[in-house]
Amino acid sequence: MKVLGISGSPRARGNTARLLAEVLRGVSDAGGEVSAVSLSKYVIAGCIGCERCRHDLTCTRFNDGMTMLYPRIVEADALVLGSPVYHYNVTSQMKAFIDRLYAFYDFTDERPRGYSSRLADRKRKAVVFAVGEQGDPADLGVALEALSLPLRPLGYEVVAELPVLNCFEPGIVGERGEVLERAYRCGRDLAAALSGA
């Protein structure tokens, strides 16, 4: 039961990182093997639609942070994706990461093209969360959908979507016990889903 957590925040130690740690703690306490990545430490180019990955079965257009992350994604039974909300969406770092997952698709040649995902080789799971400054859930915009919708056709079952509101100051979520408990519970639920419990 390997779970890879991905923080899309430019702040390596902000609210997103704290929540990610709490989700992963829930998995770890249930016996899972966890690791975390902060996209702020990687340079990831945006997908340019060159389609080289259709033939090479990985992105060969760029040799960047995704080159290092692809094997870890393949090895992981589950992903936890978290992002602060930037202008009603995920950060540009998280968007680039998600777009570069396109390299895992196999396409047919007819139009419209059929497709399958090489990540659908087993029952992978995911948890996603979005952290917003405002108190109105509408102000999260499309962030949760931007995290969860691309994962489903790739072969992931999204076990939980966690909206987090009223968190602007770096680290303020550490003072919100109920939010940390919800994040921890998401990790436990993810572990249960992976183990079939």
Side-chain angles (χ1 to χ4, degrees):
M1 188 163 60
K2 293 185 177 181
V3 178
L4 175 62
I6 306 288
S7 169
S9 176
R11 296 172 174 164
R13 294 189 214 37
N15 293 313
T16 303
R18 179 70 176 87
L19 286 163
L20 180 59
E22 204 61 22
V23 175
L24 295 180
R25 187 173 74 85
V27 174
S28 180
D29 284 355
E33 179 183 333
V34 301
S35 61
V37 166
S38 175
L39 295 182
S40 66
K41 298 180 180 177
Y42 292 77
V43 174
I44 298 175
C47 176
I48 61 169
C50 70
E51 302 287 336
R52 283 168 57 166
C53 59
R54 287 187 64 195
H55 306 287
D56 299 340
L57 304 183
T58 190
C59 179
T60 55
R61 173 62 179 82
F62 301 108
N63 183 11
D64 60 7
M66 283 303 285
T67 308
M68 294 179 278
L69 293 176
Y70 282 138
R72 296 179 68 179
I73 294 165
V74 170
E75 290 172 5
D77 301 300
L79 292 177
V80 179
L81 303 185
S83 176
V85 175
Y86 277 25
H87 206 234
Y88 300 94
N89 208 332
V90 296
T91 63
S92 59
Q93 293 91 337
M94 180 59 79
K95 182 65 167 69
F97 171 85
I98 289 171
D99 285 351
R100 294 281 297 282
L101 296 177
Y102 182 82
F104 286 110
Y105 284 117
D106 291 322
F107 291 96
T108 60
D109 289 328
E110 73 273 1
R111 298 288 186 201
R113 294 185 298 175
Y115 66 89
S116 60
S117 168
R118 291 188 304 283
L119 292 174
D121 59 340
R122 58 186 190 267
K123 295 182 178 180
R124 297 177 195 259
K125 313 291 184 188
V127 165
V128 300
F129 66 90
V131 185
E133 171 187 1
Q134 308 299 331
D136 185 345
D139 289 321
L140 293 178
V142 298
L144 280 174
E145 291 87 350
L147 293 166
S148 64
L149 290 178
L151 292 177
R152 292 185 173 104
L154 282 164
Y156 291 86
E157 175 192 350
V158 178
V159 174
E161 297 183 11
L162 177 63
V164 180
L165 304 170
N166 297 308
C167 288
F168 178 70
E169 296 83 3
I172 191 69
V173 76
E175 301 173 14
R176 309 268 168 82
E178 76 287 352
V179 176
L180 296 176
E181 175 58 33
R182 285 165 52 211
Y184 179 83
R185 178 52 51 193
C186 285
R188 294 302 294 257
D189 292 346
L190 177 57
L194 286 169
S195 65

